[in-house]
Amino acid sequence: MTSIEIPYSIAAALPSLSVLDITNDVQRALAASEYESGVALLSPREGERVFVRVNERESGIFEDFESLLARLVPCDQAERETLLALLLGPRGDQIPFSSRRLQLGEWQRVFLLSLDG
């Protein structure tokens, strides 16, 4: 049997949903910034079909989320990404920080979700 190491940043790679855990990246950028406290606005660049969400990282949640999206808008639906974007709302998220540390709950992580598969 061959094993491979999957980076912690890859939270899920499913047929129609890819999820990256960007918490550590955001935390490093915040630690290097000049700001001590405030609200971090996390927003994808214009034209990118991704979403930023804060959620608990637990097994099964991404499969459940992908299943929900497939029930709402079938995978073979024309313009699926556009329709899902309308349903999912804002593409970014806001997270308070203090002492250059994200103020997340114990199990919360920051995720970048791509609907492009």
Side-chain angles (χ1 to χ4, degrees), residues 27 29-40 97-101:
Q27 186 56 60
L30 196 56
S33 79
E34 62 186 78
Y35 301 103
E36 189 68 29
S37 62
V39 176
F97 65 95
S98 178
S99 301
R100 293 194 173 121
R101 300 278 314 155

Side-chain angles (χ1 to χ4, degrees), residues 14-113:
L14 303 166
S16 67
L17 179 68
S18 298
V19 184
L20 296 178
D21 183 336
I22 61 170
T23 310
N24 295 338
D25 300 312
V26 173
Q27 186 56 60
R28 276 192 297 274
L30 196 56
S33 79
E34 62 186 78
Y35 301 103
E36 189 68 29
S37 62
V39 176
L41 173 60
L42 305 177
S43 180
R45 287 184 283 232
E46 190 62 37
E48 293 181 342
R49 294 194 296 190
V50 296
F51 296 82
V52 176
R53 293 293 184 264
V54 174
N55 201 68
E56 290 81 19
R57 183 174 180 156
E58 56 94 8
S59 63
I61 191 167
F62 303 115
E63 290 88 352
D64 292 345
F65 186 61
E66 183 183 46
S67 176
L68 171 69
L69 295 179
R71 286 194 313 268
L72 291 173
V73 182
C75 293
D76 59 352
Q77 175 75 38
E79 300 295 322
R80 181 175 193 261
E81 290 84 14
T82 303
L83 294 171
L84 288 174
L86 292 170
L87 291 171
L88 293 174
R91 296 183 326 128
D93 212 338
Q94 300 175 28
I95 306 168
F97 65 95
S98 178
S99 301
R100 293 194 173 121
R101 300 278 314 155
L102 292 171
Q103 299 300 295
L104 296 171
E106 183 175 357
W107 306 109
Q108 288 183 316
R109 304 293 290 175
V110 182
F111 296 107
L112 187 70
L113 295 88

